Amino acid sequence: MNPNEKERKVADISRRDFVGGVLMAATLSTAERSVSAGVAPSVVAPAAHSPIDAPNVRAATSAPPADYPPARSGLRGQYPGSFEVAHELRDGGFAGDLHAVDTGEHYDLVVVGAGISGLSAAYFYRKALGDERKILILDNHDDFGGHAKRNEFFHNGRTYLSFGGSMSIETPFPYSFTAKSLLAELAVQPASYKRYERARRFTGLQPGVFFDREHFQADKVVAGWGSRSWREFFAEAPLSDEVRADLVRLHESATDYLPHLDPAEKARALKKMSYAQFLSTHAGVLAESLPFFQGGGWQFRNNMQLDTCPAYVAWRGGAPGFGGMTIAGEPKYAASEFHFPDGNASVARLLVSRLVPAAIAGDPDQESIILSPAAYARLDVVGAGVRIRLQSMVIRIEHMVAPDRATERAVNVCYVEHGVTKRVTAANVILACFNNVIPFLVPTLPAEQREALHYASKVPMQITNALVSNWLPFQRLGVTSIHAPNGYHQEIQIDTPLEIGGYESVRAAAQPVVIQMVRNPHVPGLPRREQNRLGRADMLATPFDKIETEVRAQLDRLLGLAGFDSDRDLLALTVNRWPHGYAYAYDTLGDPDVPEHERPHVLGRRAFGRIAIANADAGAGAFVNVAIDQAERAVQECLASRGLI
Ligand SMILES: Cc1cc2nc3c(=O)[nH]c(=O)nc-3n(C[C@H](O)[C@H](O)[C@H](O)COP(=O)(O)OP(=O)(O)OC[C@H]3O[C@@H](n4cnc5c(N)ncnc54)[C@H](O)[C@@H]3O)c2cc1C
């Protein structure tokens, strides 16, 4: 079968499984949705305010309607059609008078971005000022949640869930009181997580590594990465005797490779060298062994690769080579963890249930949220306290009078919805979007602040979800996950088996399952921010059919000898493309060593009159708790801007 025929096959299966859904919500009329919130409109916007006109409620046992956002397959994440207006703005479009249609709507707060930070900001604002406050949340995508997106597949009468981006409630540093309290108010108890895990379904299976024939001696998956003795593990790997001995030596090392330095000096030195330099120059690792460390692995976060990851970060993450060294370091905090079958989309959905109860009803908790239906047509309804308006890209925000003389109608917010430029007003605005986009939205920001907001370089990420007919090949190989150091995706896994809220994520090995694959595009040899930039460009230039061809080739190569055949076993594919993925976190190799208050994210997030800045970029940390904490700070600044605290 040629690649084109294969592509058709996935599309056909997806279509077949996604048609014939049972529609379960009452459709709202255009009139119900299109009038202003609280203030009589001077001009009513011509288009309906819910971008999705079909009722989008679903139940786990019925196929979703074709336009139900979580069930859309193909290219998702920052999908074609969602970002072009922003790129036009970046390239000088939308200059001068925008001739925006005045919707006549006025809000206490307009939030730009319906990710965890924007949703949290709306939650905190109402908590501070009361539920009668009117809030509009604008987002350019057809689904809420930002990076915390839900993917659904429907096959043979069953729904299969996966995460499209943000995976788990976890962090290398403790959750703040604010973030912990929010989770508690959403009825999420991280400590209860283990009760949902069904680890026994993976008894006898271990993490594996794929050794590829281009860098090693043959294609082979070896089980037991980090769970067997290194001698046993590498004994099965297709390696020359020299490379095998070299890798065993490093992993079992009790040698101090910087013997002339005390622990504090070691820490300082390791912060200033890459892990690649440490391995080659100090640990004497052979050039032929280095491909084993390419592509990150669990120890490298934020797209820090072999050549851009400070050796100190690698040490803290548990990378090999430091066993004989005493290094001064901050303690490693135990990360609390709660993993939903749809990742942190459940957190976003819980927030929406509190903000717009008509859309996700029943005050769900950490269990009942899993299969709670979401009525997308009810997200943006006239009269509701909070309205979430999707497919709406904000392009300009400006104070209507000098910020210090601002009245209730202080700020103009212009956005493009279905090609029409529209305008609402607000007393406060919170930018819970991306730092890089803010200077284009608020051109009147001081130059120094604009420059600071441009500094960060978002990390490109891809989470590919493949529904396959069974996971017998994983069982035959003895693995639950495969790390492919030099692969198109670097991580391939079956999700942790969970039973929660009436949903089972992994059943018997002969049953269908979602395989999750993670990719961090990068260009070795360049500074990390530049690698991120080129990775983003590469992602934007890569069409779905090319990605599908790569997915098929990689799965056939990794799992083929264990019986996988993508022509037969690949049922549906959703590629979550996040060129603007993780918030950029600083490193000690490429970023200036300056005090925290001089960091670009701190300079960039200063409130500007009635406009405050939230989002994970404002905390320089790619974690849910950072997004929540920044939301809370931005709300405090809004209240201060109006003399309310
Ligand atoms: C692939 C991936 C995996 C992750 N895994 C984890 C994890 O396991 N655990 C964890 O704690 N964190 C994880 N994170 C990080 C965490 O999810 C994020 O820090 C957090 O969700 C960010 O929330 P946010 O609201 O700040 O930004 P976002 O989620 O990016 O939301 C911002 C929203 O604003 C929209 N927007 C931007 N500009 C405009 C505009 N002009 N007009 C309208 N809308 C606009 C964006 O499109 C987006 O929808 C992950 C992130 C990614 C990308």
Side-chain angles (χ1 to χ4, degrees), residues 112-118 138-141 145-147 165-168 170 344 392-394 432-434 437 441 461 463 578 581-582 615-616 621-624 627:
V112 182
I116 300 267
S117 200
L138 295 161
D139 195 284
N140 57 312
H141 291 106
H147 292 147
S166 193
M167 302 168 214
S168 306
E170 52 145 4
N344 291 323
S392 297
M393 179 72 86
V394 176
C433 44
F434 307 151
V437 87
L441 303 184
M461 311 259 304
I463 307 279
W578 303 110
Y582 273 174
N615 94 67
F623 293 97
V624 163

Side-chain angles (χ1 to χ4, degrees), residues 493-556:
Q493 66 158 24
I494 316 172
D495 208 356
T496 312
L498 295 173
E499 265 185 65
I500 179 168
Y503 178 79
E504 262 182 286
S505 67
V506 178
R507 295 177 299 154
Q511 301 293 322
V513 81
V514 180
I515 297 180
Q516 292 136 357
M517 294 174 265
V518 182
R519 176 165 191 258
N520 273 129
H522 60 281
V523 183
L526 296 171
R528 187 168 139 250
R529 288 163 68 220
E530 186 63 5
Q531 293 203 24
N532 287 348
R533 190 182 69 75
L534 292 173
R536 288 197 296 275
D538 174 68
M539 285 184 111
L540 283 175
T542 308
F544 177 75
D545 55 357
K546 161 99 170 74
I547 300 171
E548 183 182 339
T549 303
E550 293 283 359
V551 169
R552 286 177 178 279
Q554 188 172 22
L555 289 180
D556 284 335

Side-chain angles (χ1 to χ4, degrees), residues 48-52 69 72 79 113-115 119 136-146 149 376-377 379-380 387-393 415-418:
H49 279 150
S50 170
I52 296 160
R72 287 185 174 144
Y79 58 85
L119 297 170
L136 175 67
I137 304 174
L138 295 161
D139 195 284
N140 57 312
H141 291 106
D142 60 11
D143 201 352
F144 56 81
K149 284 286 193 319
Y376 279 77
L379 288 173
D380 185 12
R387 301 173 69 166
I388 301 176
R389 189 162 299 163
L390 300 173
Q391 294 184 329
S392 297
M393 179 72 86
Y415 63 97
V416 177
E417 183 186 16
H418 300 301

